[in-house]
């Protein structure tokens, strides 16, 4: 993404919240409640970012007991996530203890979740399995499908995966602009074969004999608030998306500079007026690891 990744991930929170599917949430929370013996559940989170997944579980009073390994290559975002998670847990009346790279969150009933923060490529951490489950939100399109499958297999043979908000290769801006198709096709081209990540992965799970138990649309949808702005901090989210599309298309060289500049200027003007709409097609996948 172009710009400040912490600000972008935080600005995405309300967009993410609307996108999550009820079926994906229910399956994920049931697996967390179900798994683990006396020691609780052991979860690997790939690309944990600013801990949005853990903070959603905390807000829903659905944090499990056990161990959660939150991995990200970006020290700055993971550190911001660690601080925000601890602050949210304290505000929710949880006990919070910090030791080294582990933060323990204690619930009033005595259950404890040890969150271990790791700055690393998650593909190396997966070898430290087995885990009961792997969760990765808005992440699976960043790796080749074979790498995602290898990562999930750290939870085989009886484990689960949850891949919420997995990009599925379609981006739309509104109102329409005459060169939208060229710009958006060039943007998707920069993702090579990974753009339709949800479709590719669901197909691979089905081929292996275990189609996803949950496969639901979970689109990001942003529109103006009708008063010249956007809800919450969604203007920041949209600006980062726009800057990222323009930078990647410019680098690809697939659209003439003048055409791209004209498109970007029109879109920025619409964004400034709260008149730009955006949809990214995502899916929530949940299932047994093949
Ligand atoms: C789009 S963000 C999603 C963050 C978070 N899951 C959320 O939904 O708010 C993707 C995150 O994956 C991290 N990332 C990318 N490749 C990674 C890798 N190979 N191993 C670990 N983290 C990675 C990035 O640094 C970034 O924080």
């Amino acid at each position: 993404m172009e710009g400040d990744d912490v600000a972008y991930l935080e600005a995405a929170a309300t967009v993410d919240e609307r996108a999550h599917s009820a079926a994906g949430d229910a399956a994920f929370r049931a697996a967390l409640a179900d798994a683990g013996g006396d020691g609780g559940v052991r979860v690997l989170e790939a690309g944990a970012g600013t801990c949005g997944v853990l903070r959603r579980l905390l807000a829903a009073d659905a944090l499990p007991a056990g161990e959660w390994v939150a991995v990200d290559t970006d020290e700055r975002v993971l550190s911001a996530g660690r601080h925000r998670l601890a602050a949210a847990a304290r505000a929710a009346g949880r006990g919070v203890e910090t030791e080294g790279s582990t933060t323990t969150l204690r619930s009033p009933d005595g259950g404890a979740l040890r969150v271990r923060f790791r700055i690393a490529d998650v593909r190396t951490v997966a070898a430290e399995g087995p885990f009961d489950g792997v969760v990765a939100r808005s992440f699976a399109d960043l790796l080749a499908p074979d790498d995602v499958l290898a990562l999930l297999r750290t939870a085989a043979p009886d484990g689960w995966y949850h891949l919420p908000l997995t990009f599925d290769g379609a981006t739309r801006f509104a109102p329409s602009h005459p060169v939208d198709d060229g710009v958006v096709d060039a943007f998707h081209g920069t993702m090579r074969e990974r753009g339709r990540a949800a479709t590719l992965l669901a197909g691979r799970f089905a081929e292996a004999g275990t189609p996803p138990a949950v496969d639901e649309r979970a689109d990001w949808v942003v529109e103006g608030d009708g008063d010249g702005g956007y809800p919450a901090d969604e203007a920041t989210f949209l600006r980062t998306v726009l800057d990222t599309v323009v930078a990647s298309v410019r680098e690809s060289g697939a659209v003439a500079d003048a055409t791209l500049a004209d498109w970007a200027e029109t879109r920025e003007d619409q964004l400034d007026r709260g008149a730009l709409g955006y949809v990214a097609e995502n899916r929530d996948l949940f299932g047994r690891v093949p």
Side-chain angles (χ1 to χ4, degrees), residues 150-206:
L151 176 67
L152 302 185
R153 290 207 170 103
T154 187
D158 298 318
W160 47 266
Y161 61 83
H162 185 33
L163 305 176
L165 315 191
T166 297
F167 184 58
D168 206 28
T171 306
R172 290 189 292 283
F173 292 95
S176 67
H177 183 285
V179 299
D180 274 344
D181 286 352
V183 171
V184 169
D185 284 354
F187 173 57
H188 291 159
T190 64
M191 300 173 186
R192 296 182 294 281
E193 85 281 10
R194 302 193 304 267
R196 299 208 69 199
T199 294
L200 286 166
L201 288 166
R204 298 290 290 273
F205 298 141

Side-chain angles (χ1 to χ4, degrees), residues 9 47-49 72-74 77 120-123 137-139 142-143:
L9 291 172
D72 205 290
T73 43
D74 188 327
V77 294
D121 187 317
V122 70
R123 288 170 285 196
R137 184 174 80 171
S138 305
F139 177 83
L142 302 178
L143 301 183

Side-chain angles (χ1 to χ4, degrees), residues 72-134:
D72 205 290
T73 43
D74 188 327
E75 196 275 335
R76 197 169 157 266
V77 294
L78 197 60
S79 167
R82 182 176 189 180
H83 287 107
R84 284 163 201 252
L85 174 64
R90 281 192 197 97
R94 304 248 171 178
V96 177
E97 292 152 24
T98 296
E99 192 181 342
S101 59
T102 302
T103 296
T104 302
L105 308 176
R106 291 193 189 279
S107 66
D109 67 7
L113 180 67
R114 292 177 310 285
V115 185
R116 290 176 50 216
F117 293 91
R118 295 280 301 273
I119 312 298
D121 187 317
V122 70
R123 288 170 285 196
T124 62
V125 179
E128 298 168 19
F131 292 86
D132 296 311
V134 179

Side-chain angles (χ1 to χ4, degrees), residues 173 177 179-180 183 238-239 241-247 249-250 255-272 276:
F173 292 95
H177 183 285
V179 299
D180 274 344
V183 171
L238 206 42
R239 184 162 301 284
V241 169
L242 195 53
D243 289 350
T244 301
V245 169
V246 171
V249 173
R250 184 179 295 124
V255 175
D257 284 349
T259 306
L260 180 62
D262 177 62
W263 185 87
E265 193 182 328
T266 303
R267 292 316 194 185
E268 275 159 24
D269 175 61
Q270 290 165 342
L271 174 57
D272 289 342
L276 180 63

